[in-house]
């Protein structure tokens, strides 16, 4: 029970901090939809960076796949560096998505509550129509982002497996064993990149719609 209470208190504190943050930003003229646009753009940048890091990791493994002699330690270090960079980039994408979800909840709750403040039925209906349309666009964007996020998992798993195997087997036989992983990894990375590009396109459409709402 104390453990559960601690979790609830932490969540309450976090929620309170976020609410205080949004309130403070509004006092200086920065509203939730402005924060939403910024966070979606940051998520797009994080996804673009993840694409680049995954491509770099593939390039490093391609060099291993074509290895014909030299210092294996150097090859391993290069692949490990690219794996760690890819992992960090993927974590950043997840963090950016979580930040979008947080401000979206606050924005849509506020918008929904303020519908009751209208005295004009016409304006209320128009605002509600825009709210529902924006929510639908948001769900499409968020779904695309989560699909891209999920596609990063098999890429990271394969990169980690390859890195660990090479770490403990720095010899030509190990390279031969890993060559069969290359084509599978290449397909997984391409799927992840394709889904991230789709998510970025959905994000751009959502931003355009939010700015018009």
């Amino acid at each position: 029970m104390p453990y559960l209470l601690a979790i609830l208190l932490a969540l309450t504190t976090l929620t309170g901090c976020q609410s205080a943050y949004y309130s403070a930003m509004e006092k200086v003229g920065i509203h939730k939809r402005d924060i939403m646009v910024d966070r979606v753009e940051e998520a797009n940048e994080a996804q673009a960076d993840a694409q680049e890091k995954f491509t770099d990791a593939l390039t490093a493994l391609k060099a291993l796949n074509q290895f014909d002699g030299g210092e294996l330690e150097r090859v391993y270090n290069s692949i490990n560096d690219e794996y760690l960079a890819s992992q960090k980039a993927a974590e950043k994408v997840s963090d950016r998505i979580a930040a979008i979800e947080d401000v979206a909840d606050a924005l849509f709750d506020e918008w929904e509550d303020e519908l009751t403040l209208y005295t004009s039925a016409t304006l209320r209906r128009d605002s509600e129509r825009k709210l529902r349309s924006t929510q639908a666009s948001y769900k499409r964007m968020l779904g695309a982002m989560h699909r891209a996020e999920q596609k990063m998992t098999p890429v990271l798993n394969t990169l980690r497996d390859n890195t660990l195997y090479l770490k403990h087997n720095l010899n030509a036989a190990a390279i031969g064993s890993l060559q069969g992983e290359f084509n599978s990894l290449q397909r997984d990375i391409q799927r992840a990149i394709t889904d991230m590009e789709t998510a970025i396109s959905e994000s751009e459409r959502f931003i355009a719609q939010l700015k018009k709402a």
Side-chain angles (χ1 to χ4, degrees):
M1 184 63 70
Y3 178 70
L4 178 59
L5 181 60
I7 293 176
L8 291 174
L9 287 172
L11 290 173
T12 301
T13 302
L14 179 60
T15 303
C17 289
Q18 289 296 325
S19 298
Y21 169 74
Y22 297 135
S23 297
M25 294 300 283
E26 286 187 1
K27 287 178 181 177
V28 295
I30 301 174
H31 299 281
K32 294 181 183 69
R33 71 174 57 218
D34 301 318
I35 297 171
M36 168 75 91
V37 169
D38 287 344
R39 290 186 179 180
V40 171
E41 289 175 343
E42 288 171 354
N44 286 350
E45 292 172 3
Q47 289 178 106
D49 182 55
Q51 290 182 44
E52 182 178 336
K53 295 298 186 293
F54 284 174
T55 301
D56 289 346
L58 186 65
T59 300
L61 278 173
K62 186 180 292 186
L64 174 66
N65 200 41
Q66 298 169 349
F67 185 80
D68 60 356
E71 189 182 348
L72 275 171
E73 184 74 27
R74 180 184 58 79
V75 176
Y76 162 74
N77 288 335
S78 175
I79 292 173
N80 187 53
D81 287 345
E82 296 301 343
Y83 162 65
L84 293 175
S86 297
Q87 183 182 46
K88 186 176 180 179
E91 289 171 353
K92 190 173 183 180
V93 169
S94 295
D95 289 344
R96 293 291 183 264
I97 294 173
I100 289 170
E101 290 176 305
D102 184 83
V103 72
D105 288 342
L107 173 63
F108 293 137
D109 285 347
E110 178 185 71
W111 197 340
E112 191 83 48
D113 291 343
E114 290 179 347
L115 290 175
T116 63
L117 302 179
Y118 283 95
T119 56
S120 168
T122 300
L123 292 178
R124 182 174 60 251
R125 282 194 300 270
D126 186 61
S127 183
E128 184 173 14
R129 177 185 60 78
K130 289 179 178 178
L131 169 59
R132 303 307 174 213
S133 178
T134 303
Q135 286 175 319
S137 179
Y138 167 74
K139 287 179 181 178
R140 287 193 297 272
M141 176 193 72
L142 191 65
M145 284 186 171
H146 279 308
R147 284 191 294 276
E149 182 185 25
Q150 290 165 4
K151 290 289 175 61
M152 290 189 288
T153 301
V155 172
L156 291 173
N157 288 344
T158 302
L159 287 174
R160 183 189 62 241
D161 290 350
N162 279 253
T163 301
L164 285 173
Y165 188 80
L166 189 61
K167 177 181 181 181
H168 298 291
N169 299 274
L170 286 176
N171 53 57
I175 293 175
S177 298
L178 293 178
Q179 285 176 343
E181 300 279 322
F182 181 75
N183 289 336
S184 175
L185 179 64
Q186 190 169 21
R187 287 192 298 271
D188 286 344
I189 287 178
Q190 189 53 56
R191 290 190 190 105
I193 289 175
T194 298
D195 277 6
M196 280 187 273
E197 288 173 347
T198 299
I200 290 171
S201 296
E202 287 291 348
S203 299
E204 291 170 348
R205 280 191 285 272
F206 172 72
I207 290 173
Q209 180 165 346
L210 187 62
K211 287 180 176 179
K212 290 190 298 184

